[in-house]
Amino acid sequence: MVLRYTYPVLLCILILMQGRWGYAVKDEIFRENETKISHHIKSAEVGLFTMDELLNFHVGQKLPIFFPIRNLSLYPPFFLPPKYQNIIPFIKPAAMFNLFKVPPSSPKGKAFLGTLYSCDSINGETTKICATSLDSMLGFVQKAFGPDVDFKFITTTHPTLTTPVFQNYTVLEPPVEIVSVKKVPCHPFPYFYAIYFCHTDLNYETRAFKLRLVGDGSGDEVEAVIVCHLDSKNLSSDHLVFRMLGVEKGSSYCHVFRQGDILWIQQQTSGGGVAAV
């Protein structure tokens, strides 16, 4: 593997990247707020689009999107240092609840227990992992891409976002496709320290795009990463995607990655290999 960043540099980048946790992505809303979303809310407001809608975005088009701020007490930006991982193993969380005085029955405790349950359910799978360290994340990504493959990550960037704002965003340029034969998304899970759920969807084709926006009110510029799933057959029939987009099971759909979600992509090689915009 040819790794783009050394361990210390990549760790610093991941930490700095998570300093502000604005997002306009929908997996969080799907998990936590599905029953609270009213039917009058437009899909664009939560960053959810059909493939046709995305491909037809043009310069000057207005998109109403809400970028809330993530709660750092639920999503800490730091991995547990290696020297403590054997002392407080992930699979034995009682010590963490006691140490941080978080009752398991509290909302925060329930969120953390939900992460434990989710990670336990994927234990042993080869296409999914709950990465509790940078080494485990990079190891999973390396295995997915194969040996001697240069890769990097991209994420939605919203560098000036400090407070949640619902406003119109103007499209600055048409979507630009990110070309990578393989893609590995990693999503932060709520816990006492950084946990990333990484997965490879080998049986479901995806496309990825960058979309540059500017807030009409704030002037904040956003470079949003949008991932499109070309087949929704793996979703339940009553999934929010079908209700909000008015599409049938099996149709494609696209969603904005939140700032903090990571999409690992292959890099362009000198021999004319994979091109990553």
Side-chain angles (χ1 to χ4, degrees):
M1 176 190 68
V2 180
L3 186 59
R4 178 175 173 83
Y5 301 108
T6 61
Y7 181 100
V9 173
L10 183 55
L11 179 60
C12 289
I13 291 173
L14 286 172
I15 291 172
L16 290 173
M17 182 189 69
Q18 299 178 87
R20 290 183 178 132
W21 286 94
Y23 68 91
V25 89
K26 319 329 78 199
D27 55 327
E28 186 79 7
I29 294 175
F30 292 163
R31 287 198 300 266
E32 298 179 3
N33 299 306
E34 181 169 354
T35 59
K36 301 177 183 177
I37 295 179
S38 301
H39 291 291
H40 72 274
I41 295 180
K42 297 179 181 179
S43 57
E45 295 175 10
V46 293
L48 186 64
F49 315 102
T50 66
M51 177 70 77
D52 287 342
E53 287 174 335
L54 175 66
L55 294 179
N56 285 309
F57 286 164
H58 57 270
V59 175
Q61 183 171 346
K62 305 293 185 181
L63 296 176
I65 300 179
F66 180 58
F67 286 85
I69 302 294
R70 178 165 308 184
N71 186 346
L72 283 177
S73 70
L74 291 175
Y75 299 88
F78 302 101
F79 286 112
L80 187 68
K83 65 180 180 180
Y84 295 118
Q85 290 178 8
N86 291 330
I87 301 175
I88 311 177
F90 177 66
I91 59 174
K92 296 181 179 179
M96 297 295 287
F97 282 96
N98 291 331
L99 179 63
F100 289 94
K101 301 186 184 306
V102 175
S105 59
S106 66
K108 181 185 293 188
K110 290 179 180 178
F112 294 167
L113 288 173
T115 291
L116 291 172
Y117 176 81
S118 297
C119 291
D120 183 65
S121 68
I122 67 172
N123 187 32
E125 293 200 27
T126 58
T127 61
K128 302 175 184 177
I129 187 177
C130 279
T132 59
S133 68
L134 185 60
D135 283 338
S136 61
M137 181 193 292
L138 293 179
F140 180 82
V141 175
Q142 176 187 355
K143 186 176 180 180
F145 286 128
D148 301 321
V149 174
D150 196 8
F151 55 82
K152 66 177 182 179
F153 70 83
I154 57 174
T155 187
T156 292
T157 58
H158 201 320
T160 61
L161 182 68
T162 56
T163 57
V165 176
F166 177 75
Q167 61 181 327
N168 280 328
Y169 286 83
T170 300
V171 176
L172 293 177
E173 61 183 41
V176 177
E177 184 159 11
I178 302 162
V179 181
S180 178
V181 175
K182 295 181 180 179
K183 308 174 190 69
V184 180
C186 292
H187 312 282
F189 269 7
Y191 202 58
F192 295 101
Y193 50 85
I195 300 289
Y196 280 87
F197 169 62
C198 302
H199 58 98
T200 55
D201 295 320
L202 300 179
N203 297 323
Y204 297 95
E205 188 178 356
T206 61
R207 294 173 66 181
F209 300 83
K210 285 184 179 179
L211 181 65
R212 290 187 60 230
L213 307 164
V214 61
D216 287 1
S218 64
D220 292 337
E221 288 199 17
V222 180
E223 186 171 80
V225 173
I226 300 178
V227 174
C228 297
H229 302 266
L230 304 189
D231 190 343
S232 58
K233 290 179 180 177
N234 61 321
L235 300 181
S236 63
S237 299
D238 63 345
H239 199 282
L240 190 63
V241 162
F242 305 126
R243 298 204 301 272
M244 295 201 76
L245 293 180
V247 298
E248 296 180 353
K249 191 176 180 69
S251 301
S252 62
Y253 67 97
C254 307
H255 63 92
V256 181
F257 260 36
R258 60 190 168 186
Q259 186 174 359
D261 281 355
I262 302 169
L263 184 65
W264 294 93
I265 58 174
Q266 293 172 251
Q267 292 211 95
Q268 184 176 7
T269 63
S270 58
V274 175
V277 175

